[in-house]
Amino acid sequence: MATTAAAEAIPAAPALIDELVAANRILYDQGVVDGFGHISVRHDKTEGHFLLARSMAPGLVTSADIMEFDAEGNPLDAAGRTPYLERFIHSEIYKTRPEVQAVVHSHSPSVIPFGVVATPLQPIYHMSSFLGAGVPVFEIRDSGGPATDMLVRNPALGAALARALGDRPVALLRGHGNVVVGGSIREVVFRAVYTEVNARLAAEALRLGEGRMVFLNDQEAAAATQTNRAQIGRAWDLWKAKALGIAR
Ligand SMILES: [Zn+2]
């Protein structure tokens, strides 16, 4: 199944690369990533392969920075470019989730507290209804022991994270960040942005409500997710225009 890193790389569609570049800019502009974090998409021509920028700040990514990786997370065409240490988050999730087309890893700040307390991250409003599937917390000590640098820096840790994620759209990494998956670049960006917004709003509600909160129930979450599916393009168009400097 694994293709060797020596295999000939078939170029991905330029439109897919452009979309991945735009997604990097949007995630920065929307406050999901800062100098760190990354987004990948499955290669459109080579099964098992995926596209991910070289190790750099997402807000500065251009098409020349997009690298191709095989199913094990090995770069095919490094050409002097350094890959992200945590690329195994992407490779291991793609192995276990055939329906997933795109993956975001970020340290989006409002989400961090929910990875270290007993209060679970739940959908506070309809825009984040996809969280109704449940948000597991990945405890790196369980697989990496008590002295890691917290990074998912090898395939074994990536596989453990993929197991914690299971069939859900979002998992939190305790003391680190989160991972979000989707059926397209646009869907995963939508989910990453609204995971951050949801966490911010939930923390505010916790303060106002002194711990008592009402979240979307399972049926509401499922129905709202169905509705939102048709609205993703609307958010994408606005975010892209703003991130690329077309709108303010
Ligand atoms: Zn990270």
Side-chain angles (χ1 to χ4, degrees):
M1 184 194 144
T3 310
T4 70
E8 192 69 28
I10 303 165
L16 184 66
I17 292 173
D18 287 349
E19 184 132 314
L20 186 57
V21 170
N24 274 274
R25 305 297 188 93
I26 289 168
L27 291 171
Y28 173 62
D29 193 54
Q30 292 295 316
V32 173
V33 298
D34 48 17
F36 302 90
H38 22 91
I39 174 168
S40 69
V41 66
R42 281 189 191 274
H43 197 289
D44 60 326
K45 305 227 169 53
T46 309
E47 204 179 326
H49 288 205
F50 62 96
L51 306 171
L52 178 68
R54 70 180 172 90
S55 183
M56 65 181 294
L60 301 176
V61 166
T62 69
S63 56
D65 301 308
I66 302 299
M67 300 170 68
E68 178 178 344
F69 293 86
D70 70 13
E72 304 305 319
N74 302 308
L76 267 77
D77 52 353
R81 297 172 295 180
T82 306
Y84 287 118
L85 287 172
E86 295 194 287
R87 59 193 181 278
F88 306 107
I89 292 173
H90 304 264
S91 56
E92 294 300 321
I93 288 173
Y94 287 129
K95 274 188 201 171
T96 59
R97 296 283 297 272
E99 86 287 10
V100 164
Q101 294 297 320
V103 176
V104 170
H105 167 55
S106 83
H107 311 149
S108 70
S110 306
V111 182
I112 301 292
F114 289 90
V116 304
V117 297
T119 305
L121 190 62
Q122 293 177 263
I124 194 166
Y125 74 157
H126 62 129
M127 301 307 290
S128 49
S129 56
F130 55 89
L131 297 174
V135 183
V137 178
F138 171 64
E139 172 50 77
I140 196 167
R141 288 176 197 160
D142 292 344
S143 46
T148 66
D149 64 0
M150 308 301 289
L151 300 185
V152 181
R153 56 165 59 247
N154 61 50
L157 290 172
L161 172 59
R163 279 196 298 277
L165 175 67
D167 61 359
R168 269 79 50 117
V170 179
L172 310 189
L173 285 68
R174 192 268 309 162
H176 178 174
N178 66 84
V179 63
V180 183
V181 302
S184 66
I185 289 176
R186 294 177 188 211
E187 184 175 59
V188 83
V189 166
F190 182 93
R191 287 175 170 177
V193 170
Y194 282 111
T195 296
E196 167 66 16
V197 175
N198 187 91
R200 200 185 315 145
L201 296 176
E204 186 64 22
L206 264 170
R207 278 189 289 273
L208 290 171
E210 296 167 338
R212 186 189 169 275
M213 292 197 279
V214 179
F215 296 100
L216 270 61
N217 65 28
D218 290 349
Q219 297 102 307
E220 289 166 339
T225 299
Q226 191 62 33
T227 299
N228 288 345
R229 212 155 261 148
Q231 303 296 331
I232 288 171
R234 176 161 150 180
W236 172 267
D237 290 344
L238 174 67
W239 294 339
K240 183 180 173 185
K242 180 165 178 286
L244 301 186
I246 301 160
R248 284 284 154 209

